Amino acid sequence: AEQMNPKLHDKPIGVTPFVHSRPTCIIAANARAKKAGVRSTMSIQDAKRFCPSINLVPQTPDIYERLHREIVLIVDSIIPVDSVCSIDEMTCRLSQEDITDPERLSYQLKDKLRSTIGDKITCSIGMAPNRQLAKIASEMNKPNGLKIIQPEDLPDILTHLTLDDIPGIGRRMRTRLNLAGIDTVEKLWHVNPKHMHSLWGNVNGERFWYALHGYDVQAEETERSMFGHGRVLPPDWREPDHAFECARLLSVKAARRLRRGHYLAKTFSLSHYQKSSMSGTRLKAILPPA
């Protein structure tokens, strides 16, 4: 939003879900708004309380998708993109030549994005021995920094973090770790791999341990088991007829993806949920093997 509208340059921005109805919540915020305390899923009332000067802008998914594709192509022209994790996150594997001068590579990426897309598109880069640590590094100097984690930096560079800062540790896993007496990253570091296997309940616990300790762990290829689509309903769509139309649209989108993947759905579910001022519909299709 800030890049596309000069009037919004260097101002706090909150992105809202809808164009033609009264905004109800924040679904994304720029760095200035976040610095004032605005967070995703926050109500508009709370966002204005934390940041009275916030500019509310409705989302524009088509523009986001177009910029996403352009950014992936730009990055791939400099470093081959290994995987696209989300609309604003991707991973790359560095060559031996790139590893010798990672700062130069970072400046090259940032300069190309700035000159091609614009100077309001920030890029937080993390470099590390594996994807897990690289993601942690990319969060350390946001929104437009560079952080490099070398094997010799471990574990000191991680000990100031909380368990919530570590990718792969959600609310349930944090509770499980706390019950086992592990409430800091330093304690997590000193757990042995077999104990991690036990805590996770499978081999992913051991993989997590080796990744955290700087080993170049490659995750096993997984098969997709579900296609899901969700949509937050604007206030004027929260009645049966419009909700049915939304459910039909989500079903069609899921069916298209099923056909492209050569799957048949074994289970089909449709659910509705409410959270604060948000109302949404979510569809999930559970897939059998192709």
Side-chain angles (χ1 to χ4, degrees), residues 190-207:
H190 291 291
V191 175
N192 68 63
K194 294 301 181 184
H195 191 187
M196 291 285 275
H197 186 132
S198 175
L199 289 168
W200 255 254
N202 53 51
V203 73
N204 288 328
E206 289 185 67
R207 290 198 184 101

Side-chain angles (χ1 to χ4, degrees), residues 72-137:
V72 171
L73 289 173
I74 289 170
V75 173
D76 195 58
S77 69
I78 298 174
I79 321 173
V81 173
D82 186 47
S83 65
V84 177
C85 306
S86 66
I87 197 168
D88 64 348
E89 182 180 335
M90 66 196 76
T91 63
C92 305
R93 283 195 165 272
L94 303 186
S95 67
Q96 288 300 318
E97 180 183 356
D98 293 331
I99 291 174
T100 60
D101 193 356
E103 289 86 357
R104 176 199 60 78
L105 186 65
S106 171
Y107 298 143
Q108 185 180 357
L109 278 168
K110 291 175 181 291
D111 287 344
K112 187 70 177 290
L113 288 170
R114 189 182 303 112
S115 62
T116 306
I117 304 295
D119 61 356
K120 300 304 176 183
I121 296 292
T122 59
C123 176
S124 177
I125 299 176
M127 297 185 183
N130 59 52
R131 182 183 298 186
Q132 172 93 338
L133 292 175
K135 182 173 177 60
I136 293 173

Side-chain angles (χ1 to χ4, degrees), residues 25-290:
C25 65
I26 300 293
I27 60 174
N30 70 349
R32 288 177 177 269
K34 288 180 178 178
K35 189 175 181 179
V38 179
R39 295 291 181 268
S40 297
T41 73
M42 182 178 282
S43 69
I44 297 298
Q45 182 179 3
D46 287 341
K48 289 183 175 180
R49 179 165 56 85
F50 281 101
C51 183
S53 61
I54 192 170
N55 293 265
L56 302 178
V57 180
Q59 65 172 336
T60 51
D62 292 344
I63 294 177
Y64 303 157
E65 185 176 353
R66 175 173 60 81
L67 287 175
H68 164 73
R69 290 196 298 267
E70 291 182 15
I71 291 171
V72 171
L73 289 173
I74 289 170
V75 173
D76 195 58
S77 69
I78 298 174
I79 321 173
V81 173
D82 186 47
S83 65
V84 177
C85 306
S86 66
I87 197 168
D88 64 348
E89 182 180 335
M90 66 196 76
T91 63
C92 305
R93 283 195 165 272
L94 303 186
S95 67
Q96 288 300 318
E97 180 183 356
D98 293 331
I99 291 174
T100 60
D101 193 356
E103 289 86 357
R104 176 199 60 78
L105 186 65
S106 171
Y107 298 143
Q108 185 180 357
L109 278 168
K110 291 175 181 291
D111 287 344
K112 187 70 177 290
L113 288 170
R114 189 182 303 112
S115 62
T116 306
I117 304 295
D119 61 356
K120 300 304 176 183
I121 296 292
T122 59
C123 176
S124 177
I125 299 176
M127 297 185 183
N130 59 52
R131 182 183 298 186
Q132 172 93 338
L133 292 175
K135 182 173 177 60
I136 293 173
S138 70
E139 297 288 333
M140 288 182 170
N141 282 334
K142 295 183 74 172
N144 198 34
L146 165 68
K147 187 66 177 181
I148 301 172
I149 296 179
Q150 301 286 2
E152 57 268 23
D153 298 328
L154 300 171
D156 294 345
I157 199 169
L158 303 178
T159 52
H160 72 284
L161 302 176
T162 68
L163 293 178
D164 290 330
D165 295 324
I166 307 299
I169 298 182
R171 178 175 56 84
R172 291 182 180 179
M173 181 53 67
R174 186 184 70 242
T175 300
R176 191 180 302 178
L177 292 171
N178 290 164
L179 290 173
I182 304 167
D183 55 4
T184 67
V185 174
E186 185 173 4
K187 291 180 181 178
L188 181 68
W189 175 271
H190 291 291
V191 175
N192 68 63
K194 294 301 181 184
H195 191 187
M196 291 285 275
H197 186 132
S198 175
L199 289 168
W200 255 254
N202 53 51
V203 73
N204 288 328
E206 289 185 67
R207 290 198 184 101
F208 184 95
W209 186 94
Y210 283 105
L212 195 66
H213 284 71
Y215 293 87
D216 187 11
V217 178
Q218 297 294 315
E220 290 185 341
E221 291 293 330
T222 58
E223 292 187 3
R224 179 180 288 276
S225 61
M226 180 183 71
F227 285 130
H229 282 285
R231 173 167 293 187
V232 178
L233 300 178
D236 55 350
W237 273 56
R238 296 172 191 174
E239 41 83 18
D241 288 343
H242 279 117
F244 178 83
E245 286 301 313
C246 182
R248 184 184 66 81
L249 174 62
L250 294 174
S251 300
V252 169
K253 291 176 69 175
R256 286 174 180 166
R257 295 177 66 190
L258 283 166
R259 285 193 291 270
R260 284 199 298 267
H262 304 289
Y263 285 104
L264 292 174
K266 182 170 63 176
T267 303
F268 176 89
S269 66
L270 182 69
S271 59
H272 176 266
Y273 66 92
Q274 288 184 315
K275 182 178 180 181
S276 63
S277 60
M278 299 173 63
S279 180
T281 299
R282 182 170 297 276
L283 177 148
K284 296 180 179 180
I286 310 300
L287 314 178

